[in-house]
Amino acid sequence: MLEKIRKIILNHYFLSFALPALIMLFYFYYRKMAPFGNSSILTVDLGQQYVDMFSGMRETILHQPNQLFYSFAKNFGGEMFSEWSYYLFSPLNLLLLFFNQANLPSGILFLTVVRFGLAGLSMQYLLVRRNFTGKEMGLLISSSYALSGWFVANQVNLLWQDQIILLPLIIYAAIKLINEQKYLPFVLIFAFSIIDNFYIAYMIGIFLPMFAIWQISRYYSKFLNQSLIFLRFLSSMLLSVLISSVVLIPTAFQLIQGKGQDTIASIDWGFIQKPYLVILKLIPGSFNFSQMKTGLANIFVPFIIIIGLITYFSIKQEKISTKIISGLIIALYSLSFVWQPLNILFHMMQYPVWYPYRYSFIFSFFILLLAAIGLEKSKHANFPSFVLSLLLIAVISSVAVFFNKKINFVNSQQVRLFIFLSVSALLVYMVRSYMKHDVWAYFLLLIGLTSSALNAYISTNNFSYLTNSEYQRTVKALQQSTSDLSKKGFYRVGQTFSRTRGDAFATGYNGGMHFSSTVDKTTPELFGAFGQVANDYYTSYSFGTVLTDAIFDMKYFISPVYGGSNAAGSPKAMADSYRPDLTNYRLLQSRNQVMTIKNKNALPIIFPTSSKVLKSKIIPENPILTSNSLWEGITGTKNLVQSNVPFSYSTENIKTLISLNGQTAQKINSGQDAVINISFKPNTNGSYYLTLPVSFANNATWITVNGETIPQYANRENVVALNVANHDKNLQITIGIHLNYSELFLNDLELYSINDSKLAKSANKVQKTGIKNLKFNQTSFTGEVDVKKNQKILMTTIPAAPGWKIKIDGKNTPVKTIDNYFIGAKIKQGRHKVQIYYQEPYLGVASAITLISILLVTLIEINKRKKFFTISKILKNNKK
């Protein structure tokens, strides 16, 4: 044990972990991020999506393990296994189990710091154990790797970070396979990488054959030997893929249902604009918000690495053929940063949404590896390398100065820092002959660490962060409002405020919103048909009506209290829905800043109904009539909705309009407010809804009701129904539609009313026939239904998706799709035991392939060991 500790210290393994970890920890402390202050590490996707994923992960592991496969906290219900494989399968995430939901930002900070450290450690291990460098020079390379531009830019993307840790270990095992024919370490660690995050592992998988060719060329000369070793390497990669089938196959199937359908049909064969600007990413701090969205590849490494890379191509210890292969690999990745076809290929044939060039850490890794060889094996400074490096400094600086006014990610101060640090590195490089190797390496380390630390400081400072109190304020409000809800029966919870679209998954209740890259195609269609917010990546039940509340079993609502605080993170400040019709429901509790309301009209999740439900229709661009059609099919209720409720309108600062449909409103004076006022007097106390077209979305308008600015979900792609009146009989209602831009297209502006009392009566009838003695978890419902003579369909509001199965009285029953989006089945009159359950598609087949592959690897290994022991025995006997 003491000897192992001694090796760890002597090989600088501890320092390789500590240097990048401490640099980032000191930065987070300087920024007063929790637990060091009231700021937090939460920003962009980390604050809007991933923190909720981690909270949901805790809920799944600790309380609801069935959520690993399916969850009703995702949209109205959604498959989860592919989401786990995309976001959550990293074992390092288990560290977050020690932090409750309110303190997750602190846990994420420490986890991020640990990952920075582990990246440095794994790189140091590769460099020292495979003799790429000595331990001193290794510290420069490993710290540069851990604090590279990719990792700093993607520190919020925890789901990808394991791969930067695993890459050096995969390469270590690959070299062991190529040089020593020991395939097992490689097969296992690459399989683990795929299971950990298949998406980034795919990018590593593209690189591995190229690396294998490079490594083979270094040690083997005969073409036959090279070919056999390369084929063995490819076979080992295939074996890794087969072992990881348990994750890959079900995930691939689910992605085909959603994101996989977006695989591009045609490729943009063009180059990005101004490809020569990529070299500016070598300047410290060349990353900001615009670069995060649609920027250039984050390839920052200290300039001493570039000097080492240039030196690599001048050393005599490497074969010319190997150098050519090295150059081709660098050229291929460099081309991918400016030419779209390669970029798309490396991104699994899809355009990345934000965070472009996600594979660029592989490029950084490879040039770091070459630089390590160049700096370690060169005995003295190389004059051509000095000249080329000096010329490159001049070119980068000149381009930065020339384009200073046309770019926003580099300024003059950064250019001066770059020149100072690069020239300093070049001077230290030149005096190598006059210094001991160890001292020289530590001087380079100092310059490299300074460059990396400044890059991290400047880049990370370009972002604003969510305060810890803001985060905790919303989380505690959500917890308080849902913790005392009934544990009996299935129901969904609606909300008129939200911190993010992941609130339900994070807090552990069945909601109506979600945000992820694994949303299937039918879910946005379902939400859009019923007038809710949806696109390819997120959904939000933010424009509910009393009708959709009942249909989707929205039994409870959480809403800001009237006159609540406007402090950042408070429910009132986070309001995104206007629902005066919630006064129809019963107030259960009002605690601090949030109240909980119960909807007595919510239908059961499962109930028998008439076959007329099969005739219900989805009416395009009309969520009210779509909901009414389904309700009429379920209950037989007619005349529930009054269409085309009359209203009048007037305009201010808008050119004359003939009507409010099919017309474009144009401002007269672009510098002043322009408004369309829609007025009416309700002739009943029912709920009134105004449909709003898609042209009103994306901040094209802001809306007032009787002079009060109302909260509304701005980003949407469907017609929605805005609740504008409730219990307002004979009162004047004026809706102001204010233009944010000079023009606004008007269409689909129609006013509807819903008869609340008739709705309540018909809902009550369905509730009486709903499933009884219900036992359920996230993947299974069992209970009993008493089917009447006129009821021939077992109806659910479980979204239709592959994997759901239905048994009636123990017998498998064909699953029907009802109203395009819900699962159901035919059923006969009488009392029946019903079981509805979810099985992850292809998980059984995938598990079998994984087990067979593991068995195959085991048998191969046993056979190899037998041969080894037989050979050892023969040698021993011959010796005697």
Side-chain angles (χ1 to χ4, degrees), residues 16-254:
S16 68
F17 176 90
L19 287 175
L22 287 175
I23 284 172
M24 295 310 300
L25 186 64
F26 282 137
Y27 174 79
F28 294 145
Y29 175 80
Y30 160 77
R31 287 295 300 264
K32 304 298 181 185
M33 293 180 180
F36 306 117
N38 190 41
S39 182
S40 80
I41 196 172
L42 304 182
T43 187
V44 290
D45 282 358
L46 181 54
Q48 297 169 7
Q49 183 182 21
Y50 303 147
V51 66
D52 297 321
M53 293 284 188
F54 296 133
S55 184
M57 178 197 73
R58 294 185 74 260
E59 174 71 18
T60 300
I61 293 173
L62 299 177
H63 305 295
Q64 300 189 66
N66 298 91
Q67 275 196 146
L68 174 62
F69 300 104
Y70 196 92
S71 175
F72 285 91
K74 178 182 180 181
N75 308 313
F76 291 138
E79 184 273 342
M80 286 299 299
F81 190 75
S82 62
E83 193 148 306
W84 276 75
S85 69
Y86 191 82
Y87 292 99
L88 296 170
F89 270 160
S90 166
L92 290 176
N93 291 339
L94 296 175
L95 292 173
L96 298 177
L97 294 178
F98 298 99
F99 298 85
N100 62 28
Q101 185 184 3
N103 292 314
L104 266 180
S106 298
I108 291 171
L109 182 145
F110 285 121
L111 179 57
T112 302
V113 168
V114 167
R115 282 186 162 124
F116 271 101
L118 289 176
L121 175 59
S122 69
M123 189 64 164
Q124 181 79 0
Y125 183 80
L126 167 67
L127 295 170
V128 175
R129 290 299 299 270
R130 301 313 308 185
N131 298 316
F132 283 107
T133 67
K135 59 186 180 181
E136 298 85 4
M137 187 64 67
L139 279 180
L140 166 66
I141 306 300
S142 63
S143 60
S144 298
Y145 178 67
L147 296 169
S148 64
W150 184 93
F151 208 156
V152 169
N154 288 280
Q155 62 183 283
V156 298
N157 292 311
L158 276 72
L159 65 163
W160 300 333
Q161 291 169 4
D162 278 16
Q163 301 301 312
I164 198 173
I165 300 168
L166 289 171
L167 178 57
L169 303 180
I170 293 170
I171 295 302
Y172 174 86
I175 295 172
K176 208 172 185 66
L177 168 60
I178 292 166
N179 291 6
E180 304 169 27
Q181 289 75 57
K182 293 182 179 179
Y183 78 101
L184 188 60
F186 174 80
V187 169
L188 294 180
I189 195 165
F190 186 48
F192 173 77
S193 170
I194 296 170
I195 293 170
D196 183 275
N197 188 276
F198 71 91
Y199 179 58
I200 306 297
Y202 163 85
M203 301 171 188
I204 293 175
I206 290 178
F207 170 68
L208 284 175
M210 291 185 275
F211 176 82
I213 292 170
W214 177 78
Q215 180 67 16
I216 290 169
S217 73
R218 298 183 75 208
Y219 285 90
Y220 297 92
S221 300
K222 293 183 179 180
F223 179 75
L224 180 61
N225 290 342
Q226 291 176 337
S227 301
L228 290 173
I229 291 168
F230 185 65
L231 287 174
R232 183 185 294 141
F233 186 85
L234 293 180
S235 300
S236 299
M237 286 186 66
L238 177 61
L239 204 49
S240 296
V241 172
L242 291 173
I243 289 174
S244 58
S245 293
V246 66
V247 167
L248 277 183
I249 293 176
T251 300
F253 173 77
Q254 296 298 343

Side-chain angles (χ1 to χ4, degrees), residues 123 126-127 140-152 154 164 167-168 207 281-282 297-302 305-306 309 329-330 333-334 336-337 357-372 455:
M123 189 64 164
L126 167 67
L127 295 170
L140 166 66
I141 306 300
S142 63
S143 60
S144 298
Y145 178 67
L147 296 169
S148 64
W150 184 93
F151 208 156
V152 169
N154 288 280
I164 198 173
L167 178 57
F207 170 68
K281 300 298 281 188
L282 293 172
N298 294 300
I299 56 172
F300 172 83
V301 287
I305 302 303
I306 305 303
L309 176 65
I329 293 173
I330 291 172
Y333 275 93
S334 299
S336 75
F337 299 149
Y357 308 101
R358 298 169 183 180
Y359 56 87
S360 59
F361 73 96
I362 297 171
F363 173 81
S364 298
F365 167 83
F366 190 61
I367 65 172
L368 281 161
L369 201 60
L370 299 182
N455 176 65

Side-chain angles (χ1 to χ4, degrees), residues 649-660 663-670 673-676 739 742-744 746:
Y649 70 91
S650 62
T651 62
E652 300 173 28
N653 191 31
I654 288 177
K655 294 179 181 179
T656 303
L657 290 171
I658 299 173
S659 73
L660 296 188
Q663 300 290 307
T664 298
Q666 295 179 311
K667 282 187 177 183
I668 297 172
N669 188 328
S670 60
D673 185 26
V675 59
I676 302 167
L739 279 65
S742 59
E743 293 185 347
L744 178 68
L746 307 173

Side-chain angles (χ1 to χ4, degrees), residues 578 580 648 652 675-682 688 690 702-711 722-738 751:
Y578 183 68
S648 61
E652 300 173 28
V675 59
I676 302 167
N677 291 308
I678 295 174
S679 301
F680 72 101
K681 283 187 178 181
Y688 286 76
L690 179 69
W702 54 282
I703 297 176
T704 58
V705 176
N706 286 348
E708 177 188 355
T709 301
I710 64 165
L722 178 67
N723 183 206
V724 292
N726 179 260
H727 285 280
D728 292 320
K729 184 177 180 180
N730 295 327
L731 296 177
Q732 181 74 21
I733 304 295
T734 301
I735 304 112
I737 300 167
H738 301 255
L751 191 61

Side-chain angles (χ1 to χ4, degrees), residues 501 514-516 519-521 523-525 527 532-540 715-718:
R501 290 173 285 257
H514 199 64
F515 174 27
S516 81
V519 174
D520 62 87
K521 283 295 180 183
T523 294
E525 292 174 5
F527 273 71
Q532 304 307 317
V533 174
N535 76 359
D536 289 343
Y537 300 100
Y538 64 78
T539 58
S540 178
N715 299 317
R716 56 183 173 83
E717 297 179 356
N718 303 101

Side-chain angles (χ1 to χ4, degrees), residues 819-837:
D819 200 40
N820 284 37
Y821 299 116
F822 308 104
I823 64 167
K826 290 183 178 180
I827 196 167
K828 295 180 180 179
Q829 182 181 355
R831 194 168 186 84
H832 302 280
K833 184 175 181 180
V834 173
Q835 182 183 9
I836 301 176
Y837 59 99

